[in-house]
Amino acid sequence: MKTRTVEQIFAPNPPHYVGDGFRVHNFIPSVPQLSMRRMDPFIMMDYNSKFYFPPSETPRGVGVHPHRGFETVTIAYNGKVAHHDSSGGGGIIGQGEVQWMTAARGVLHKEYHEESFSKTGGDFQMVQLWVNLPAKHKMDPPKYQAITRESMKKVSLPNNAGHVEIISGKFENETGSASTFSPVHLQNAHLNPEGEVTFSFPANFNTGILVIDGNVEIENSKLPTNHFALLRNDGESFTIRALEKSIVLVLSGEPLDEPIAAQGPFVMNTQQEILQAIWDYNNGKFGELS
Ligand code: MN
């Protein structure tokens, strides 16, 4: 098996706010080397690096807005997120949990800090990824998967190196509980100091690594906290070594290789479909949510 090498390492962009509750660094697609095409099927990645939110009586967040044509995947590392959508889906995810929302033909939703977390305040840290849907599934009915701590698949690593949590896809002989519409591997490696883990995905799968906590080395490149490594499509396997206790998010997906037409919260295949999405939204076709 050939080793996959590091193409480039990116420091986090200056943060901006999504609503008043998400202070995020955008990596995909605003870093020019991390375009929707280059990272296909990952079309957006916002990262709220660890940030202290003081107590607030009114939960901070982002109000009702639409999505069509893709899935939103929210991974909570610190703090709690509440979510409600117009298909009746919703819930609360806490530390170590994931909400995987398939917007598909369209939902309205809102995303907030969970009420009790809001009242006490605290460190907040999360990732939101948008995973594109294949053209033939863009108009499927919406659905919602919650991956709780209990349903998160875990694989222990040898030599007390730590463990891997599988959100989706495969690691060794285990498969994550999230169902996906195309091959998507989304996994958190929790590594002890000097702990090593080797991942292997087909060479054509677009692959990146975000350091949530700690400091790691990937094939001899140093990757500090909150930095993102883009890996080349020149091999399958790569080894991550922790220089201290660390958490890294690994994403790898098979490119859909279909046309992308994107405008705000709508990601379709043609401009005509974007205009249809805007028309449907303006005509109440995404349901209701107050
Ligand atoms: Mn949203």
Side-chain angles (χ1 to χ4, degrees):
M1 210 176 310
K2 215 168 162 272
T3 299
R4 195 187 272 269
T5 60
V6 175
E7 181 165 323
Q8 204 169 342
I9 286 171
F10 303 97
N13 272 332
H16 69 272
Y17 273 87
V18 177
D20 64 358
F22 302 93
R23 179 186 177 271
V24 302
H25 313 276
N26 180 265
F27 284 93
I28 307 168
S30 63
V31 174
Q33 296 90 334
L34 302 175
S35 65
M36 291 184 180
R37 182 53 67 195
R38 176 65 185 88
M39 295 311 293
D40 181 11
F42 306 105
I43 48 177
M44 203 286 298
M45 187 176 82
D46 270 345
Y47 172 45
N48 191 129
S49 57
K50 195 186 282 183
F51 184 77
Y52 175 79
F53 282 93
S56 169
E57 281 305 309
T58 320
R60 297 180 177 89
V62 52
V64 177
H65 60 278
H67 292 292
R68 172 180 282 181
F70 54 92
E71 303 182 280
T72 69
V73 181
T74 306
I75 308 165
Y77 294 97
N78 278 290
K80 286 183 181 176
V81 186
H83 153 105
H84 291 94
D85 72 47
S86 52
S87 77
I92 291 163
I93 57 158
Q95 200 164 328
E97 300 185 321
V98 177
Q99 32 173 248
W100 194 301
M101 185 188 76
T102 306
R105 71 181 175 218
V107 295
L108 300 176
H109 80 159
K110 53 184 180 179
E111 299 157 271
Y112 280 93
H113 294 190
E114 182 271 333
E115 209 171 327
S116 67
F117 171 78
S118 226
K119 287 207 167 93
T120 56
D123 283 338
F124 190 78
Q125 186 177 22
M126 55 131 251
V127 166
Q128 186 168 90
L129 267 172
W130 291 4
V131 178
N132 207 359
L133 283 169
K136 64 172 187 249
H137 291 296
K138 280 186 179 289
M139 294 302 278
D140 279 8
K143 68 170 184 175
Y144 177 82
Q145 303 175 74
I147 302 150
T148 60
R149 248 167 291 186
E150 294 72 41
S151 60
M152 184 73 73
K153 284 279 168 57
K154 283 186 191 173
V155 175
S156 292
L157 298 168
N159 308 318
N160 193 34
H163 68 272
V164 173
E165 291 171 349
I166 312 169
I167 301 166
S168 76
K170 269 191 90 167
F171 179 79
E172 292 177 355
N173 296 319
E174 288 283 357
T175 303
S177 58
S179 70
T180 62
F181 290 83
S182 65
V184 173
H185 300 277
L186 202 55
Q187 304 172 4
N188 283 306
H190 292 247
L191 298 172
N192 292 322
E194 306 299 319
E196 282 191 4
V197 57
T198 297
F199 289 92
S200 186
F201 307 115
N204 69 314
F205 281 32
N206 293 325
T207 302
I209 297 157
L210 177 68
V211 182
I212 302 299
D213 205 9
N215 271 286
V216 302
E217 256 180 14
I218 297 161
E219 301 299 341
N220 301 320
S221 296
K222 283 202 166 21
L223 192 59
T225 311
N226 299 339
H227 283 53
F228 184 89
L230 169 63
L231 301 191
R232 288 198 183 88
N233 296 78
D234 58 352
E236 293 84 24
S237 69
F238 57 94
T239 297
I240 302 172
R241 184 171 153 264
L243 303 174
E244 57 182 304
K245 200 170 166 60
S246 300
I247 303 172
V248 298
L249 173 66
V250 174
L251 43 142
S252 184
E254 182 176 47
L256 301 175
D257 211 15
E258 292 177 337
I260 299 171
Q263 190 173 320
F266 309 124
V267 181
M268 303 301 289
N269 301 107
T270 67
Q271 193 53 34
Q272 187 58 40
E273 290 166 346
I274 291 291
L275 294 175
Q276 183 72 47
I278 294 167
W279 194 91
D280 286 349
Y281 172 58
N282 287 334
N283 286 277
K285 299 288 166 72
F286 281 58
E288 276 182 47
L289 185 70
S290 53

